[in-house]
Amino acid sequence: MPTVLTAVLSHETNTFSRFPTTLDCFSILRGGDISRERRGTRTHLGATFEAAETYGWTLRHPIAAAATPSGTVEDAAFEHLATAILAEAEGCDGALLHLHGAMVTDSFEDAEGELLRRLRAALGPHVPIVVTLDLHANVTSQMANNANGLIAVRTYPHIDYYERAHQAAALLDRALRNEIRPRVALARRPMLRGLDGGRTQMGPMRELLDRADGLEAAGEALAISVHAGFTAADIHDAGPTVAVTTDGADGRGQAIADSFMDYAWEHRAWTSQSWTPIPEAMALAAESGTAPLVINEITDNPGSGHYGDATNLLAAMIEAKLQNAAFYAIFDPAAVQQAIAIGVGNTGAVTLGGRHDPAAGGGPITVPARVVTLSDGRFRAYGAMAGGVWRDHGPSAMLRTGEGDGIEIALISRNGQATDLAQLTSLGIDVPRKSTIVLKSAQHFRAAFTPVARRIITVDGGGLGSVILRGGRFTRLRRPIWPLDEVTAAG
Ligand SMILES: [Zn+2]
C-alpha cells in the first residue's frame, strides 16, 4: 500500500504590489481539518481523497495553504509552509502536490521550483512527484527537472481542478506501479505575454488545448500542460510555457513542447480583449435592461494581485447617479470598522478605498451611506469554480448610497476577486435584479456571472494592472522579450 504525500501551496505573486504576503494572508488547513473540509468537494483535494481510495494509497496531508494573489511572499511564511510539507516527506512512495506555479518569495523568485528541489532531495531521484498547476504558472526548468509530471488546469475560469487532479493521480499511480517513468520537457520563447492571457474559449490557447487533448488521446504524451504565464511578476522566467510529460526522456516531449511554443509565438499578439473607458461604460450603464450590465474592472483584480481598493470607477458611478447598481468590492478593513461603528440601519459617512496606492486607480473617497448589512464574511460558495467550499472574506459590510435604489457597495476585510454569486447575495445584493454590477475580476467572474448578465464589458479603471501595463519596470526579467523589446526571431 503506497504512502503518498499531498499538499496545497498556492499563491500567485504580483511582485509590483506594495502589499507583502505574510503567513497571516494564507488560509491554512492542517491534518484532519483538510479531510473534513475538502473530502467530497469538487476540488483538487476532493479528487485526491477519491483517488487515494480508488488506488489504495495511504495519504499524508500535512497542510493546505492558499492566499489571494498579492505582493512578494515573506521568507518566514514560505519557510513555515515548506517545512510543514517536507516534514511529512520521509518514507513516502510518491507525492501529488497542488501548487500555483507563480509564487515569488523574498529569497526565491521560483518558489515552487525551490520547494520541488527540496522535496526531490528529501525523496531521492526515484520517487515520483506529480504536480497540478494553475494555467497562469510561470514554469521554470527547476520545476520541470524536479517533477515527474506537470498538469495545469485547462479552463479559465478555472473549473477543472478536480478533473486535472484525477488525471495527475492516475499518472502518479502508474508511476508507483512502475508501469511508466515519466519525465517533463519544457519549452518557452522570448515572450512575456501571449496565449490571450490564458483565455480558453477561443484563439491560440483553445487551439493548443485541443491539440493537447488529441495527442494525449493518441498516446503521444502522458500529459501536455499549456501555461499562459503570469506577467505581473518581475522574475527571469515570466511568460508562457508548455510542459510535456512523456514516459522516459527520448526527445518526443521536447519536440511537442517546441512545436506548441512555436505556435504560441506566431500568434503572440492575438487578443480577445477590448477595454472600455469609464465614461463610455457609464453611458452604457445608464441604459436599462431586463438583466444586469456586468462591468469587470480588470485593472484592479485581486485575482492578479492588484489592491482591490481602486475607487475611480466607483466615484464615476456615484457621479453618474446610477440607480439599482452594485459594486463588488472595496477591500478595506478600516472602512468595514467604520460601518460597524455606524451600525445596521443607520446612516453615516464612510471613507473607503484607495489606501494602498492612490496613483493606482484613485485615492480614498468619502461616501454618505446607509449601512444595510454587516456580516462575518463567511459563506458557502456554490458556483462552478467553488465546489461547495466555505469562503471567508473577513468582517464585511454592504452600504447603500445615492437616491432611491442607488448604489450598493460591498466592503471586505480579506481580499478576493468576484467569482461567485454568493459573495454578493450573502451581503443582501439581489444579483439578477440589479441594472449594473461592477466586479473586480479579469475573467474568473464569467463562470458565475455570464448566465445572469445582459451584457459584459471590461473596463480599465486605472488600477495597478493598468499601471503595470503602461510602464511596469522589469529588472529581473530576461531580455530582450516581446512585447517590451523588439524581438524578431523566437530564438
Ligand atoms: Zn489562473
Side-chain angles (χ1 to χ4, degrees):
M1 204 177 195
T3 299
V4 171
L5 174 69
T6 192
V8 176
L9 179 54
S10 179
H11 187 254
E12 185 180 73
T13 305
N14 182 329
T15 64
F16 295 94
S17 168
R18 298 178 180 180
F19 196 76
T21 303
T22 63
L23 191 58
D24 276 349
C25 297
F26 284 85
S27 299
I28 299 176
L29 292 171
R30 294 176 200 268
D33 286 344
I34 297 176
S35 38
R36 232 181 338 274
E37 297 266 339
R38 292 293 182 264
R39 209 183 272 277
T41 59
R42 277 187 54 83
T43 60
H44 39 34
L45 279 174
T48 305
F49 284 111
E50 288 175 10
E53 270 175 40
T54 304
Y55 301 124
W57 302 340
T58 301
L59 266 193
R60 286 191 197 163
H61 43 84
I63 198 161
T68 270
S70 46
T72 300
V73 177
E74 289 188 351
D75 278 343
F78 175 71
E79 293 302 331
H80 177 90
L81 299 168
T83 301
I85 296 170
L86 292 162
E88 297 280 331
E90 204 189 318
C92 283
D93 303 297
L96 175 52
L97 299 191
H98 305 298
L99 309 176
H100 182 287
M103 180 190 278
V104 180
T105 69
D106 290 328
S107 294
F108 301 108
E109 61 174 56
D110 170 22
E112 285 89 349
E114 173 63 16
L115 176 70
L116 291 172
R117 186 192 67 74
R118 293 183 195 181
L119 184 61
R120 175 58 71 203
L123 293 176
H126 303 300
V127 170
I129 300 171
V130 179
V131 178
T132 68
L133 294 169
D134 192 283
L135 67 72
H136 296 106
N138 287 323
V139 181
T140 64
S141 303
Q142 186 170 231
M143 290 163 68
N145 293 341
N146 286 296
N148 298 91
L150 295 178
I151 299 183
V153 292
R154 291 186 173 183
T155 52
Y156 183 29
H158 306 328
I159 56 173
D160 64 331
Y161 285 109
Y162 175 84
E163 288 81 359
R164 296 286 77 79
H166 266 302
Q167 186 185 0
L171 183 72
L172 178 62
D173 197 64
R174 290 184 66 195
L176 288 168
R177 292 172 198 281
N178 290 316
E179 286 176 30
I180 51 172
R181 291 180 183 279
R183 293 286 180 273
V184 181
L186 183 69
R188 70 175 74 254
R189 295 291 178 266
M191 317 160 52
L192 174 62
R193 299 177 185 284
L195 295 173
D196 195 25
R199 289 175 182 79
T200 55
Q201 288 73 16
M202 60 182 118
M205 190 75 183
R206 181 72 267 146
E207 166 66 25
L208 290 184
L209 292 174
D210 289 343
R211 284 190 198 179
D213 285 339
L215 289 171
E216 285 180 13
E220 297 288 323
L222 295 168
I224 299 177
S225 193
V226 185
H227 321 98
F230 182 61
T231 58
D234 181 18
I235 61 170
H236 185 271
D237 287 335
T241 49
V242 172
V244 179
T245 303
T246 52
D247 184 9
D250 61 4
R252 279 175 310 144
Q254 193 63 51
I256 295 170
D258 279 322
S259 76
F260 273 48
M261 281 309 300
D262 284 340
Y263 182 87
W265 169 257
E266 224 169 279
H267 298 274
R268 61 194 178 279
W270 195 92
T271 178
S272 65
Q273 292 291 294
S274 70
W275 293 5
T276 306
I278 289 177
E280 216 175 289
M282 291 303 96
L284 289 168
E287 298 169 2
S288 58
T290 51
L293 169 73
V294 170
I295 298 174
N296 72 297
E297 191 181 2
I298 191 168
T299 49
D300 189 34
N301 168 29
S304 299
H306 307 151
Y307 299 122
D309 71 347
T311 52
N312 280 347
L313 180 53
L314 177 59
M317 293 166 70
I318 294 169
E319 170 81 22
K321 296 189 166 59
L322 290 191
Q323 281 291 298
N324 197 26
F327 189 95
Y328 192 96
I330 293 286
F331 162 54
D332 189 341
V336 174
Q337 293 306 316
Q338 293 171 55
I340 290 169
I342 292 167
V344 166
N346 299 330
T347 300
V350 179
T351 300
L352 53 87
R355 295 190 195 270
H356 290 91
D357 182 2
I365 60 173
T366 300
V367 178
R370 172 182 295 271
V371 178
V372 181
T373 311
L374 294 173
S375 153
D376 67 356
R378 277 179 59 75
F379 59 89
R380 193 158 188 167
Y382 51 81
M385 285 187 69
V389 302
W390 283 86
R391 285 176 60 171
D392 184 356
H393 286 288
S396 300
M398 190 267 272
L399 313 177
R400 189 178 294 135
T401 187
E403 304 289 310
D405 289 334
I407 302 163
E408 293 180 340
I409 306 166
L411 303 176
I412 54 177
S413 297
R414 275 186 95 99
N415 212 358
Q417 69 171 313
T419 58
D420 200 282
L421 298 184
Q423 286 168 271
L424 286 79
T425 57
S426 65
L427 293 173
I429 299 173
D430 189 355
V431 172
R433 289 183 179 77
K434 289 287 152 199
S435 294
T436 303
I437 297 175
V438 170
L439 304 170
K440 288 187 189 279
S441 176
Q443 174 76 2
H444 282 314
F445 71 98
R446 290 179 191 269
F449 288 88
T450 299
V452 300
R454 74 170 183 272
R455 183 178 172 185
I456 295 171
I457 57 171
T458 300
V459 164
D460 177 358
L464 185 58
S466 194
V467 173
I468 294 168
L469 197 63
R470 282 185 270 116
R473 272 187 286 279
F474 289 85
T475 58
R476 296 177 176 181
L477 182 66
R478 67 196 183 285
R479 306 299 281 262
I481 196 165
W482 182 86
L484 306 183
D485 308 306
E486 288 269 339
V487 188
T488 44

